[in-house]
Amino acid sequence: MIYILLSLLICHFLADYCLTTHGMIAAKAKGWPLLPIVGHAAVHAILMGAALAVMGISWKMCLWLAALQLVTHFVIDTTKGVLTGHFPLLADNTHKPFWILYGFDQLLHLLVILLIASLSVI
């Protein structure tokens, strides 16, 4: 399971930081428009689904887990964007509330990754 978890964490890094476009970043910052956020979540889902398939997980399980990743990533990122849009202090990286929200966002993503890794070995 450690290889699956490590692979999923690498996928998360690639999708969240390397493969995110300017349009995705702008949409995530305010929680709108939804299509770029769906695209961002889809990048996560595709990478993680592919990584699980390479690890020998059945294609049905890969699809279910990729769908779980897509939905949860979309909900987490959209919620964070809406919150930062309504509360400007949360969008200002010079203030502690920004970093608390950022850390909580990443914690939620990591908990989903742990869930996916756990479910993949059932």
Side-chain angles (χ1 to χ4, degrees), residues 44-119:
H44 278 273
I46 291 165
L47 282 180
M48 289 192 182
L52 292 169
V54 167
M55 295 284 177
I57 306 304
S58 76
W59 68 271
K60 285 184 181 180
M61 182 62 85
C62 288
L63 287 177
W64 279 109
L65 295 175
L68 175 64
Q69 175 62 22
L70 180 104
V71 170
T72 58
H73 206 91
F74 173 79
V75 169
I76 293 166
D77 282 2
T78 303
T79 302
K80 181 183 173 203
V82 168
L83 285 172
T84 58
H86 285 9
F87 303 101
L89 187 65
L90 295 174
D92 184 349
N93 70 358
T94 64
H95 289 91
K96 190 173 182 175
F98 169 90
W99 294 104
I100 292 170
L101 182 60
Y102 178 82
F104 186 65
D105 166 86
Q106 291 302 302
L107 174 65
L108 291 176
H109 289 311
L110 292 175
L111 289 173
V112 171
I113 291 168
L114 284 170
L115 176 64
I116 289 171
S118 298
L119 292 173

